[in-house]
Amino acid sequence: MGRALPESRPAPVVPLVVERLRLRDVRNWARLDLALPPGAVVLVGPNGAGKTNLLEALSLLAPGRGLRRAGL
């Protein structure tokens, strides 16, 4: 019989804190330099203002393929 493998434990979750976001040529954002306060942030604006594009840029920092699972 084979030996039992050691029990694997999930890696601890470390929160990601974004203090500043700088974008250049990301969808409708030619340039953006945004300082973010600690805590929750609410994005408000009309349709087409770029709220989702900003979230998509942030999602590229996380493992995976972006907010809509799209590649770069």
Side-chain angles (χ1 to χ4, degrees):
M1 276 209 257
R3 292 179 17 195
L5 295 174
E7 182 181 326
S8 64
R9 295 182 183 172
V13 176
V14 179
L16 174 66
V17 177
V18 178
E19 296 176 349
R20 170 172 243 115
L21 180 65
R22 291 181 180 166
L23 301 179
R24 187 171 142 195
D25 298 324
V26 176
R27 297 191 180 243
N28 66 326
W29 293 102
R31 290 188 185 267
L32 174 70
D33 188 358
L34 182 63
L36 298 165
V41 174
V42 178
L43 300 176
V44 179
N47 289 346
K51 300 177 301 287
T52 301
N53 293 338
L54 191 137
L55 292 175
E56 188 138 301
L58 275 172
S59 75
L60 293 173
L61 297 171
R65 299 190 60 186
L67 187 65
R68 299 178 188 165
R69 301 202 186 281
L72 293 175

